Amino acid sequence: MMLEARGVRKSFDGREVLGGIDLQVEKGDVIAILGPSGSGKTTLLRCLNFLERADAGELVFDGERFDLHAATRRDIARVRKKTAFVFQNYNLFLNKTVLQNVTLGLTLGAKMKKDAAREIAVRSLERVGMAGRLDSYPSQLSGGQQQRVAIARGLASNPEIIYFDEPTSALDPELIGEVLAVMRQLADEGMTMLVVTHEMEFARNVSSKVLFMEGGAVVESGPSRAFFENPQEERSHAFIRSILEARGGERSQE
Amino acid sequence: MNERLWGILVDAFPKLLGYGVRVTVPLTILSFALALLIAVAVALIQYANVKVLRQVCRFYIWIIRGTPLLVQLWLVFYGLPSAGILLDAFPAAVVVFGFNEGAYMAESVRGALESVSRGQLEAGYCVGMSYMQIMVHVVLPQAFRTAFPALSNSLISMLKGTSLASTITVMEMFRQATVINGRVYESLGLYTEVALIYLAFCTILTWLQRLGEKKLASYGGVRA
C-alpha cells in the first residue's frame, strides 16, 4: 500500500463535511472520486495535502504515519514533497511566465540550481505540450493551456501521487479534451492519481478505481468497471443513472 | 504685467526651483521611503494576522487617520521638546510625513494583498515554497501592482503636503516663496508661481506613474 488514509473527519462551523473517511491507494492506481456536489470530495483531497486541517485522521504514506490533524510543519513539508496538487482554477502564479511557474518550486522549494530546474521544467512542459509557450504569462493562455501548465508544475517535482481537484470543471467544454488527454497519458505512464471529477467518461475509461461519496461518507468503492456496470449500492445506481440521464438530456437538446 | 513684477518673478524662479529640487524633493523622497516601509510592514502584519502587533497597527492607523497632519507636525516639532524629545525641523518633518502617509498607504497595501487570490498561496505551498518565499516572489509583486495607483496618489499628495513643513521652520520651496514675498509684497504673482512649480513636479510624477503602470502591465490581466 503506497498511501492509506484512515478516519478522516472534518467539520466547518459545526457542519460535518467528512464523517470518517477511509481510503487506500496502491502505486499506479488512478482513483476517480465521484459524488454529488457537497459530498466532501474536494475537502477530502485538500485534507490529504494539508490545505485543510482535518479534525481527525491518519495518513500512512510509504509506511510513514502522519496525523492529519496535528502534523507538524516538517511533516507537512515531507508529505507535500511527495505529492502534487492540481486545482480547479489552475492557480498558476499570475506574475510569472510559464517557465517560471514550473521552476519556482524547484529553485526555491527544492533548492535546485537554475539550469537543472530549467531543464526539468522544459521536459515537464514538453509532456503536456506546452514547451512552446515558455515565456507566456498565464493571462495569455486559454484555460486548458493554463491547466496543462499547472499539471507540468506538479510533474516537475517528480511526485509519487498527483491530486486533481475537479481539473476540468472551470474549463469551456471545447477545452476539456486537451486536459483529459494529458491526464490519460499520465495514467498510461503509470502515474498514481487521485481525481475528484464529474467527467464520467474519464472515470469509466481511464480510472482504475472509483470512490463514490455522498454526505461526507464513502458509499461504494471498487474497480471502475464493476462500479459502472454493476453498482452494489442503490445510491450509486441512482447517481450513475442521474448522470446518464442528464447527459442524454444534453444530447437531445443539441 | 508690469515690468517690476515680471522682474521679481524671473528673479524668484531659480531660487524657488532650487529649494524645490534641493529640499522639497528630498523631503518627499525620504518621507515616502519611510511611509512605504511602514505601510508594507503594517499591511503584512495585518495580512498574516499576527496577534498583539495587529492591534498595535490598528491603533496606529486609528490615531493617524483621526488627527490632522498639521497638528501632528506641530505636536512633534513644538510639543515633544517639552517631553525631552528634540528633533531638528527636517527630520521631524520626515518622521511626521512618513508616519502620516504610511497609515493611509498601509490600507492601500493591505487591500491589495487581500485582493491576491488565496489560491496563489496554496499553489506555492503545494510546490514546496515557504510562506516567506511565496510572499516575496508571488503575493507581494501582485499586490504591489494593484496598490501602485493608490501609492502613486499618496506620493503626489505627499509632495504637495511637504509645504506644511514651512510651518515648522523647514526652508523648503513654499517657505522660500513666503520669504521672498515678505520683501516684495507680490502675493498673487509669487504664490501663483510657486503653485505652478508644484504643478510641474506633480505632472512629472503623473507621467512617471503612467510609465510604471505600463511596465507593470507586462503580465496581463490580474485575474486568470
Side-chain angles (χ1 to χ4, degrees), chain B residues 16-39:
Chain B
L16 291 175
L17 191 63
Y19 277 97
V21 171
R22 277 180 287 114
V23 186
T24 296
V25 170
L27 180 57
T28 305
I29 291 173
L30 286 174
S31 305
F32 189 76
L34 177 62
L36 196 59
L37 213 68
I38 293 170

Side-chain angles (χ1 to χ4, degrees), chain A residues 10-240:
Chain A
K10 177 71 183 175
S11 299
F12 288 113
D13 303 321
R15 196 174 58 86
E16 188 171 76
V17 180
L18 295 176
I21 302 280
D22 296 327
L23 168 80
Q24 281 107 32
V25 185
E26 309 260 18
K27 192 167 165 28
D29 272 352
V30 177
I31 302 182
I33 305 180
L34 306 176
S37 49
S39 56
K41 312 178 296 277
T42 291
T43 306
L44 172 63
L45 212 58
R46 290 171 60 82
C47 283
L48 292 180
N49 217 23
F50 299 98
L51 291 173
E52 217 76 69
R53 220 28 120 91
D55 298 331
E58 188 179 56
L59 177 73
V60 183
F61 202 144
D62 291 334
E64 214 179 333
R65 300 165 93 81
F66 299 94
D67 185 328
L68 284 175
H69 176 65
T72 64
R73 195 184 287 200
R74 256 179 71 195
D75 288 341
I76 294 174
R78 285 179 64 83
V79 170
R80 284 183 179 151
K81 215 171 176 174
K82 303 182 190 193
T83 66
F85 202 101
V86 174
F87 298 87
Q88 180 176 347
N89 50 4
Y90 343 124
N91 286 343
L92 290 181
F93 305 128
L94 299 178
N95 60 325
K96 300 289 178 188
T97 63
V98 165
L99 180 67
Q100 291 168 337
N101 259 280
V102 185
T103 55
L104 209 58
L106 299 175
T107 53
L108 295 174
K111 305 267 175 268
M112 206 175 274
K113 286 248 163 52
K114 265 215 167 90
D115 293 345
R118 190 194 150 92
E119 206 171 298
I120 290 173
V122 170
R123 225 179 302 136
S124 302
L125 286 163
E126 276 167 359
R127 286 174 76 180
V128 301
M130 288 300 297
R133 301 296 299 271
L134 295 184
D135 298 322
S136 300
Y137 285 95
S139 63
Q140 298 166 325
L141 304 177
S142 72
Q145 291 172 326
Q146 291 192 55
Q147 193 61 296
R148 280 149 62 199
V149 173
I151 292 172
R153 178 172 67 180
L155 286 173
S157 62
N158 198 18
E160 292 181 32
I161 183 170
I162 306 183
Y163 300 127
F164 291 85
D165 180 17
E166 304 199 22
T168 57
S169 297
L171 296 173
D172 291 334
E174 74 272 19
L175 302 176
I176 290 175
E178 61 188 81
V179 172
L180 289 180
V182 167
M183 292 170 64
R184 177 189 284 264
Q185 172 201 324
L186 292 180
D188 290 344
E189 290 167 9
M191 177 61 76
T192 311
M193 296 154 70
L194 211 50
V195 187
V196 171
T197 186
H198 295 292
E199 289 296 327
M200 287 302 130
E201 292 304 321
F202 179 85
R204 190 173 197 149
N205 299 324
V206 181
S207 76
S208 54
K209 293 179 188 164
V210 164
L211 189 81
F212 175 61
M213 289 175 65
E214 195 173 64
V218 176
V219 175
E220 182 169 347
S221 68
S224 301
R225 180 181 289 259
F227 177 81
F228 281 102
E229 287 172 6
N230 186 21
Q232 298 302 303
E233 301 290 330
E234 180 47 38
R235 290 304 310 146
S236 318
H237 201 76
F239 178 74
I240 295 168

Side-chain angles (χ1 to χ4, degrees), chain A residues 46 92 94-95 137 139, chain B residues 120 122 133 137 142 219 222:
Chain A
R46 290 171 60 82
L92 290 181
L94 299 178
N95 60 325
Y137 285 95
S139 63
Chain B
Q120 298 282 303
E122 292 186 346
Q133 289 172 335
H137 293 273
Q142 289 180 36
Y219 62 85
V222 170

